[in-house]
Amino acid sequence: MIGIVAVSHSHTLALAAVVLAGEMLHGQPVRIEIAAGLDEQTFGTDAVAVSEAIGAADSGDGVLVLMDMGSAVLSAELALDLLAGDHRVRLCAAPFVEGLIAAAVSAAGGADLDEVAAEASNALAGKQTHLGAGAGAGAGAGAGAGAGSAPPGSSESEKVQRAAEIAREIEWNGRGFAVAESGPVSRAEFVVDNPHGLHARPAARLVGAVRGLDSSVLLGNLTTGTGPAPASSLSRIAALGALAGHRLEVAATGADAAEAVDRVLALAARHFDEAPGLVAEVAPVTRGTGPLPASPGIGIGPSWLLAAAQFDSADLDDPGRAETPAVERRRLDAAIATVRAEIDRLRVTAGTDAGIFEAHQVLLDDTEVLDAVHSRIAAGTGAALAWARVLDDGAAELDRLPDEYQRARAGDLRAVRDQVLVELTGRATRLVSRAGVLVTADLTPAQAAALDPAQVTGIVLANGSPTAHSTILVRAHGIPAVVGAGLRVLETAAGTTVALDGQTGALVIDPDRAVLAEFTERAVAQQHQRDTALVAAGKPAVTRDGVTVHVAANISDLADASAAVRNGADLAGLVRTEFLFLGRADAPSIDEQEHAYRALAEALDGRKLILRTLDVGGDKPLPYIEQAPEANPFLGMRGIRLTLARPELLRDQLTAIGRVAADHPVGVMFPMVTQLSELLAARHILSEVVSQDIPLDIGIMVEVPATAAKTAAFAGHVDFLSIGTNDLTQYAMAAERGNEALGSLADPLDPGVLHLIDTVSRAATGRARVAVCGEAAADPAAAPVLLGLGVHELSVGPPSIPLVKAAVRELDSTSCRALATRALTCSSAEEVRALVP
Ligand code: PEP
Ligand code: MG
């Protein structure tokens, strides 16, 4: 086999070029030696080193020497003199990087010295074709120019010669191969669907696929008319300029012609075995494969990673205010238990990346660390401060170690420190928005609420799920996002360009110009669609056959309320009041709540405001509400269960709501209701604090399957029912809403969930209004099904309102009913989605 020597001024450059070439070889052994730099740091070339490298690369068949420029060429010539002009050594004028890659692939295929040299010399052809500078040397059929043509003798050179002959007999006329030859010829067409086209890596796969067959294979680009190119030549394939979507024709002759064509087609069908790596498909991603769409829109920008938490020990517990050591120990134990459970969950879903979390688990169980924290707590320090100090000391010690790997462990220590501190303080890591695409493992609701949509152009979460509360907030901000992208996205270097489509889930890290242009085009088209929808957003949404659908807003703060009005909301169908209670040390007073709710009502300017009473627990714990650790918080004390157990919280909130209802159109809605007795107990408290004379719509959220089934029992006691499909789906499908591994299972269009909605709608007809306020309401595929099931209000994040209204105007209620009836007979969400036109 031909050996190769890379001569360069820079050792680093040569090494990187060799590594790059190695990528194209897919494990095929090729001897490539480096003679580069005077040493690893100093630029320069050395003739003796070049001659030694030639000796090392030579296996007897010959050596091709590639150089960068200047003294590299002189040193190589001198080395050749030192070797007394060995004719098996060839200096090649090919471009250093491209030539090295082409030569390596060609050598791996068993080509002789002339062929390898010719391949290297033609290596610029692909780039020249692409940039329109003419195909340059070797663009035509045959062995090409440069270092000489292939001599007969070796089987490879015979093949190149035969390819040239075939090219004469199988004529490429720019629109396809015209076959004049009588022997066995196989032909077929295929489409390149690799995002970056038939670039070096897939082209190298193609060369490898036909290698060793008794066949000569030619390729032509039917889309551009470029060709023909022998399939044994990497550089010539590159010169075809085959981009994503281009149609290619392959023609082969010889005894193995059919086999050759089959192999090419099979390879094309496998996308040329291109490893997805960090690059997800540009094409739409279906639910459950790869990143999940989470917040619509195109996001493009430089990546920034969420900085490690910035807990400052100075703002943690004041030792004077710490509870007794026993209480502080219990708080610490509970926080550690929660973090351990979370890490366990991540480990299960992380698959091969699970190692990242193992170190964190070990740290949580480290008895030395725990003993030190316990001693501080025993001496009167609060749990948070004690934990922070011990972990800070440990991290500082690691920072001082000489070994880089060990020093990096300090990051693990700080990560674990912060996770436990988040639990102990209820405070999330501080998030300061930056311009570009945020790439991070996951977000807490408080972090998501703090994002600045003017700066953050997109979000990529390694974990996360489309109906997690943090994702809902991201959607409310109108920031395009994909979630569940896998832990490898966390390796993205800060500043790398990221492009994502939050509608389809497509995600490309470091896109090339063509991909970037495609995303930009999509962004422009979507913006145009949004702008058009916005023009009509203030008008009611009426179906083609005259049925009015109220399109409401899900909001949590004043900014959302203003966005709701701007986007044409008919009312605010869900106010998540818990965001007034999160991220603080104690509950807001009645006055404070009244002030906040009144401000929302005023911003809504006469539109009705449905205030949901506090819904915490589950994935929204509050530090100032003492809660025993729960193994399954989503099945525990959350929503109305919690506020009935802490009636002073409910009493205060209903008082504040009643005050606002005295002068604004207001409704109140209770979350997570499972029993009629819960609703009656809440109504009783309401009657104690709000006069009967104050008009107040009363409703419940339908989030528990049992509640849906018992709708008839509730319907007489409420004005409306609002179906929370996020929780209803999680409970019906037994698929936790925050669990990214279950993203595809937790689909609200599963017929099991649709039957529950149907039950609610039928039992409520004529007695109570039925709304949907879960994220399904904004899903374009879900809207016709929900309307067909009898839902007449869709409450969605403010940015989605114009498009939902536009979609409703395209619908016909009779067709929606027919669609819903068919959807109820399906066996899966995929089947339902396939029904939607
Ligand atoms: C729901 O469960 O669908 C819902 C709207 O409530 P939340 O997402 O706030 O739990
Ligand atoms: Mg809910």
Side-chain angles (χ1 to χ4, degrees), residues 469 612 615 620 638 672 701 703 724 726-727 737:
H469 280 105
R612 178 175 74 182
D615 180 17
K620 294 175 290 188
R638 61 169 296 201
M672 281 295 294
M701 303 251 333
E703 295 161 291
N726 306 334
D727 278 316
R737 60 195 276 182

Side-chain angles (χ1 to χ4, degrees), residues 595-757:
H595 184 262
Y597 305 151
R598 190 175 292 285
L600 293 178
E602 281 163 6
L604 285 167
D605 199 18
R607 294 167 184 82
K608 185 173 278 179
L609 181 68
I610 310 278
L611 291 150
R612 178 175 74 182
T613 60
L614 186 60
D615 180 17
V616 290
D619 64 347
K620 294 175 290 188
L622 280 188
Y624 49 87
I625 298 184
E626 189 84 21
Q627 272 193 276
E630 295 180 311
N632 292 302
F634 274 121
L635 299 180
M637 286 295 276
R638 61 169 296 201
I640 198 167
R641 302 170 188 179
L642 185 71
T643 50
L644 284 176
R646 298 284 305 266
E648 69 284 2
L649 281 173
L650 190 56
R651 191 179 300 276
D652 286 357
Q653 189 169 28
L654 292 175
T655 306
I657 292 173
R659 288 186 192 169
V660 180
D663 16 70
H664 293 279
V666 169
V668 64
M669 162 158 90
F670 299 104
M672 281 295 294
V673 174
T674 315
Q675 298 283 20
L676 181 60
S677 57
E678 292 167 339
L679 171 63
L680 297 180
R683 285 200 68 147
H684 179 69
I685 295 175
L686 181 70
S687 69
E688 288 176 344
V689 295
V690 181
S691 151
Q692 299 272 13
D693 304 332
I694 293 179
L696 191 61
D697 267 5
I698 296 171
I700 59 165
M701 303 251 333
V702 180
E703 295 161 291
V704 179
T707 310
K710 295 186 289 186
T711 298
F714 291 98
H717 299 272
V718 292
D719 299 302
F720 66 91
L721 298 140
S722 191
I723 303 174
T725 47
N726 306 334
D727 278 316
L728 187 64
T729 306
Q730 105 164 318
Y731 296 128
M733 303 300 292
E736 190 206 307
R737 60 195 276 182
N739 188 337
E740 60 278 5
L742 303 176
S744 58
L745 192 58
D747 190 330
L749 284 191
D750 186 277
V753 180
L754 297 182
H755 274 285
L756 292 170
I757 298 174

Side-chain angles (χ1 to χ4, degrees), residues 341-423:
E342 172 66 6
I343 294 177
D344 266 344
R345 195 175 68 73
L346 288 172
R347 275 181 63 172
V348 171
T349 55
T352 51
D353 295 312
I356 295 176
F357 298 110
E358 266 153 36
H360 295 190
Q361 288 281 26
V362 171
L363 286 169
L364 284 175
D365 295 333
D366 189 315
T367 45
E368 252 187 63
V369 169
L370 290 175
D371 286 350
V373 179
H374 294 161
S375 313
R376 282 175 183 259
I377 290 175
T381 306
L385 189 60
W387 175 259
R389 286 262 155 85
V390 170
L391 278 271
D392 276 345
D393 290 350
E397 223 169 273
L398 290 175
D399 280 338
R400 287 192 291 272
L401 292 175
D403 179 82
E404 197 183 323
Y405 178 78
Q406 286 175 321
R407 274 202 310 275
R409 298 308 100 211
D412 289 328
L413 222 57
R414 293 196 172 99
V416 169
R417 177 195 74 158
D418 294 341
Q419 271 175 285
V420 173
L421 286 179
V422 166
E423 294 303 323

